[in-house]
Amino acid sequence: MMKEFKVTPIRNGTVIDHIECGMALKVLRIIGMTDGKVQSPVSVLMHVPSKKEGWKDVVKVEDRELDPREVDKIALIAPKATINIIRDFNVAEKHNVVMPERVVGKARCSNPNCITNQNEPIEPEFVVEGKNQPVLRCVYCDRNVDDIAENLL
Ligand SMILES: Nc1ncnc2c1ncn2[C@@H]1O[C@H](COP(=O)(O)OP(=O)(O)OP(=O)(O)O)[C@@H](O)[C@H]1O
Ligand SMILES: [Mg+2]
Ligand SMILES: [Zn+2]
């Protein structure tokens, strides 16, 4: 029997479940939960067994819902994540993250010579290729973003 992991249930908030192992802290950064910015309790589970298969990370944030821009960025680094809205201790809504087809103004191009890195008023824009291991291809210079999680804006 696998050990059960328990954290205090939350009354209202968001559970980001089925995060790829190792990505929990990157998810926290995407939702702005970094040092000194946390305003309500946050639980982070890393490398816990998943009932589906293998292991996962989970992030639970009280009194906070996510905006679509945050969910798009989570999709890029954790394509199998689910967003569970908790109301009065129950899962009121469950959504799979959806891989965006284009990413505009949310990541920086890895090519230092790209027009989007030249102090021009041009928003970086990428086509997303691949669903499970997404690749971001710059529409201006064709370069792929090297490490998506490290290049989110
Ligand atoms: N009140 C709560 N406080 C904290 N976490 C919660 C609360 N209710 C549910 N969760 C967590 O939210 C996630 C989704 O809950 P749910 O009951 O839908 O589980 P599930 O049936 O295993 O879902 P899935 O099939 O998506 O894995 C789980 O990780 C669960 O532990
Ligand atoms: Mg489950
Ligand atoms: Zn570019």
Side-chain angles (χ1 to χ4, degrees):
M1 236 311 252
M2 255 181 198
K3 198 166 141 212
E4 284 284 317
F5 290 81
K6 293 208 163 47
V7 294
T8 310
I10 59 180
R11 179 184 295 276
N12 294 301
T14 304
V15 175
I16 309 164
D17 198 1
H18 301 290
I19 300 168
E20 187 183 328
C21 275
M23 300 311 254
L25 295 179
K26 292 172 182 188
V27 169
L28 287 175
R29 196 159 49 169
I30 287 170
I31 65 174
M33 300 282 134
T34 49
D35 285 355
K37 297 223 176 121
V38 181
Q39 309 276 1
S40 52
V42 176
S43 312
V44 180
L45 302 174
M46 292 198 246
H47 212 280
V48 294
S50 167
K51 274 185 245 160
K52 289 180 180 162
E53 58 161 312
W55 288 264
K56 64 178 180 179
D57 289 352
V58 185
V59 169
K60 304 189 180 197
V61 191
E62 284 197 39
D63 297 321
R64 173 83 149 69
E65 296 198 2
L66 305 182
D67 68 45
R69 180 185 168 87
E70 292 170 324
V71 177
D72 269 4
K73 291 201 264 183
I74 292 169
L76 292 171
I77 65 155
K80 293 182 179 148
T82 60
I83 310 295
N84 299 268
I85 313 289
I86 309 296
R87 295 198 184 108
D88 206 12
F89 294 109
N90 292 307
V91 178
E93 292 176 34
K94 183 190 294 283
H95 306 283
N96 294 310
V97 299
V98 178
M99 190 60 69
E101 288 177 6
R102 288 197 170 233
V103 170
V104 184
K106 299 188 187 87
R108 75 177 70 78
C109 184
S110 298
N111 171 6
N113 297 320
C114 180
I115 182 103
T116 62
N117 285 323
Q118 304 303 315
N119 292 319
E120 301 282 343
I122 299 175
E123 275 200 305
E125 180 169 346
F126 304 89
V127 175
V128 181
E129 294 171 345
K131 291 276 171 210
N132 293 328
Q133 290 283 77
V135 171
L136 300 190
R137 185 168 52 77
C138 178
V139 303
Y140 296 100
C141 75
D142 265 347
R143 169 107 168 233
N144 291 339
V145 175
D146 293 333
D147 179 342
I148 295 171
E150 291 305 314
N151 285 292
L152 293 174
L153 295 171

